[in-house]
Amino acid sequence: MSTHEQIIRLLPGEYWWGGRAADGKSMPYGQELFRADLDQHHNGNQASPLLLSSLGRYIWSEEPFAFLFEDRSVTVTGKGELIAGEGCGSLKGAFEHVSRSYFPPAAGIPEELLFTAPQYNLWIELLYEPTQEKVLQYARKVLEHGMPPGVIMIDDNWHEPYGTWTFHSGRFPDPGRMVRELHALGFKVMLWVCPFISPDSRTFRQLEPAGILLKNREGKTALRKWWNGYSAVLDCTNPDAVKWMQEQLDTLQREYGIDGFKLDAGDAEFYEPDDQAFIPATTRSGHSEAWARAGLKYRLNEYRACWKLAGQPLVQRLKDKGHAWQDNGLGDLIPDGLAQGLLGYAYTCPDMIGGGEFGSLTSARIDPELFVRYAQCSALFPMMQFSAAPWRVLDEAHLALCVEAAALHALFGQEILELARHASVTGEPIIRHMAYEFPGRGLEAVKDQFMLGSSVLVAPVIQKGGRQRRVIFPEGIWTGDDGSTVTGPAGLEIDVPLSRLPYYRRG
């Protein structure tokens, strides 16, 4: 297959976004050296073969490409056709054009409760030791502390060996009763799954001769190293593999009343370009896309790794963040979340509050201020997700502030839900870059505040000890959460005590 190349000179005052969601902190591109290869790895998150310009230009391909920003130009190389366009006027114009042309939104949205109430993922709290009683205890504690019920996610190791998607009878003696009780408390229930199959299991012995496991370049069943060891991998380019996986999930729904699934892994780096798949010459990214397509059947879903599929009703969570202010911590939530939206992933979820990278959280001394600011930053994202139990790791004062953040999200729940429905028609992001809503105002480098829809400006604190911050207000009259009124355009220093998440509604 021949290689295609495009070299585009950047225009004065031009900024670019795109590629990988987890590179949001490096966006906009164009001011410094930056390179990425979208078929090598996706940096642990979503990726799409798309670049967008603040001046209404774009680059799209159906296949992965590599790109380099250097010396006021961008060089793009790939094995698929590179489509370069211009004349869309602005970042928003370019996004709207490529959305309509290359990933038009699908009808319908993910499960409404994901948007209208906080989510509760049990990963950090229970790690590899979930049990039926611990799950129920967590749910009861949510309600005891005045937090609204929502989706509860039972993470890794609820099951037998990987790929054997049945409840471990010792840890979950009566899963049907557990699910019924959770439903009665107002929760919906998700289970964690992945495309890996433990190679010393009965399931592996059944699936290998069926021909639905990925093969390496030698034609032997591939065993891949991932964060839990070495496993075989479902070849999701094979319809029979997808059918088998969905049969396992359907059985869990039918027998126990499970509502949905967190479909983890599927990262491009777990595949090799010379693997022998059902569809020959499938790229690493193509395997990631195939795993994501398997979840389209389930309205209650969550992904972390995904290739393409923008506009589809899939929930896309940010990659695991550390219990830190910067360096893949709190400071990355907004730029990465904005990058997700500009790649076409509207139904986004920040990582778990306090951080979901368990090595960081379990080895660190919990910083109560950081935990609260994480909760506040997440509160007006499309979704927010707790994991480490705030009633366990915080004192009463800091816990109360997290409960307030959860209540704020629920208060905005119907507005966020309407924005999700709007996204299912238009493809527009739910949270939006300032330069997306207000082109030509010099806001391209602003990435510590965002717009919720077109009318609510949200300005969280992401600096340790921050009790003041600068907020950029575009033209209009803005009414704050504190009752203040600001006439824009203006840049103001505002007071932000730990109890406050600043947001302003444009009149």
Side-chain angles (χ1 to χ4, degrees):
M1 184 181 293
S2 61
T3 298
H4 299 258
E5 181 176 273
Q6 290 259 9
I7 301 176
I8 298 176
R9 293 293 302 172
L10 272 58
L11 301 172
E14 186 174 30
Y15 299 82
W16 289 76
W17 292 261
R20 304 182 299 203
D23 293 328
K25 200 73 178 288
S26 299
M27 301 177 201
Y29 308 126
Q31 310 310 300
E32 298 177 354
L33 176 69
F34 186 85
R35 71 177 73 231
D37 186 338
L38 301 185
D39 200 35
Q40 292 301 311
H41 69 89
H42 299 159
N43 202 2
N45 238 163
Q46 303 83 25
S48 185
L50 171 66
L51 294 172
L52 294 169
S53 153
S54 60
L55 298 183
R57 300 201 287 176
Y58 64 88
I59 300 170
W60 169 262
S61 179
E62 292 294 339
E63 299 296 333
F65 57 66
F67 63 93
L68 168 66
F69 281 89
E70 184 179 35
D71 296 331
R72 298 298 300 165
S73 69
V74 55
T75 302
V76 184
T77 56
K79 294 182 178 179
E81 180 186 4
L82 299 173
I83 302 171
E86 58 185 9
C88 301
S90 65
L91 175 62
K92 181 175 182 176
F95 176 86
E96 290 176 332
H97 174 79
V98 297
S99 174
R100 287 192 304 268
S101 302
Y102 306 116
F103 45 89
I109 64 172
E111 163 62 44
E112 285 92 342
L113 191 59
L114 293 163
F115 301 98
T116 59
Q119 304 165 15
Y120 305 96
N121 182 295
L122 302 182
W123 169 238
I124 293 297
E125 192 65 14
L126 303 183
L127 293 177
Y128 293 101
E129 300 180 2
T131 68
Q132 180 168 323
E133 185 50 42
K134 289 177 183 177
V135 171
L136 290 169
Q137 183 181 39
Y138 189 104
R140 295 179 193 123
K141 288 288 187 181
V142 166
L143 303 184
E144 287 174 15
H145 288 90
M147 301 171 76
V151 172
I152 192 165
M153 304 180 185
I154 305 173
D155 217 281
D156 197 346
N157 214 29
W158 59 270
H159 44 78
E160 297 290 352
Y162 295 107
T164 305
W165 303 118
T166 57
F167 279 96
H168 187 283
S169 59
R171 293 189 289 271
F172 292 87
D174 192 350
R177 182 179 67 80
M178 175 191 70
V179 173
R180 289 191 297 274
E181 183 169 344
L182 289 169
H183 284 167
L185 294 174
F187 294 89
K188 288 185 180 289
V189 184
M190 292 179 75
L191 295 178
W192 178 96
V193 295
C194 66
F196 296 113
I197 310 293
S198 294
D200 56 353
S201 66
R202 178 182 297 178
T203 302
F204 176 87
R205 293 192 292 273
Q206 293 171 341
L207 297 187
E208 188 178 37
I212 63 175
L213 300 180
L214 186 69
K215 292 181 172 59
N216 62 22
R217 63 182 178 182
E218 299 171 349
K220 299 178 180 179
T221 298
L223 294 181
R224 292 289 147 77
K225 188 179 191 317
W226 61 299
W227 63 83
N228 282 330
Y230 289 84
S231 296
V233 192
L234 281 176
D235 177 5
C236 288
T237 71
N238 187 333
D240 288 340
V242 175
K243 179 183 177 182
W244 177 86
M245 185 68 186
Q246 291 177 344
E247 286 173 349
Q248 314 312 303
L249 305 188
D250 293 349
T251 298
L252 289 163
Q253 292 190 314
R254 184 175 60 252
E255 293 190 0
Y256 303 112
I258 296 300
D259 299 293
F261 302 96
K262 171 182 174 177
L263 298 104
D264 206 358
D267 303 77
E269 51 264 42
F270 296 136
Y271 306 90
E272 296 298 338
D274 54 4
D275 283 337
Q276 296 185 23
F278 179 82
I279 297 179
T282 298
T283 64
R284 286 168 161 160
S285 297
H287 283 292
S288 185
E289 179 183 1
W291 171 238
R293 286 191 181 278
L296 284 169
K297 181 178 180 180
Y298 305 98
R299 193 159 177 257
L300 181 50
N301 63 70
E302 182 194 276
Y303 278 89
R304 171 192 51 77
C306 188
W307 170 250
K308 297 172 66 175
L309 295 185
Q312 297 297 314
L314 296 175
V315 172
Q316 304 287 356
R317 179 176 60 84
L318 289 181
K319 67 184 275 189
D320 296 359
K321 304 298 184 187
H323 188 66
W325 291 90
Q326 302 297 327
D327 300 325
N328 195 42
L330 171 61
D332 287 18
L333 292 190
I334 297 174
D336 287 3
L338 294 172
Q340 285 179 312
L342 290 172
L343 289 172
Y345 305 111
Y347 313 118
T348 57
C349 180
D351 191 35
M352 303 163 199
I353 289 163
E357 201 290 298
F358 80 93
S360 163
L361 200 67
T362 56
S363 64
R365 181 178 178 182
I366 297 295
D367 180 341
E369 179 189 5
L370 174 61
F371 203 99
V372 168
R373 294 303 197 192
Y374 248 109
Q376 292 172 340
C377 187
S378 303
L380 294 182
F381 266 62
M383 306 173 192
M384 71 183 305
Q385 187 175 112
F386 287 93
S387 187
W391 53 85
R392 178 179 63 83
V393 300
L394 301 177
D395 58 31
E396 290 188 8
H398 290 91
L399 169 60
L401 298 178
C402 288
V403 173
E404 287 181 12
L408 180 65
H409 183 84
L411 180 67
F412 271 79
Q414 289 304 312
E415 185 170 347
I416 293 171
L417 186 59
E418 286 305 312
L419 287 168
R421 290 172 177 149
H422 175 80
S424 74
V425 176
T426 66
E428 282 201 281
I430 297 174
I431 61 168
R432 304 171 187 172
H433 201 288
M434 299 299 295
Y436 180 96
E437 279 296 320
F438 303 98
R441 276 76 160 183
L443 302 177
E444 290 83 4
V446 177
K447 47 191 174 184
D448 62 350
Q449 63 184 65
F450 61 90
M451 295 296 297
L452 175 62
S454 60
S455 61
V456 179
L457 188 161
V458 187
V461 170
I462 57 173
Q463 300 292 334
K464 183 173 179 59
R467 298 298 182 267
Q468 287 188 320
R469 65 151 294 162
R470 182 172 176 81
V471 180
I472 305 299
F473 296 91
E475 65 275 8
I477 298 175
W478 302 85
T479 301
D481 60 288
D482 60 352
S484 64
T485 300
V486 177
T487 300
L492 295 180
E493 289 285 332
I494 63 169
D495 292 326
V496 192
L498 186 57
S499 59
R500 185 184 180 197
L501 167 63
Y503 62 91
Y504 295 80
R505 188 176 295 275
R506 183 166 57 160

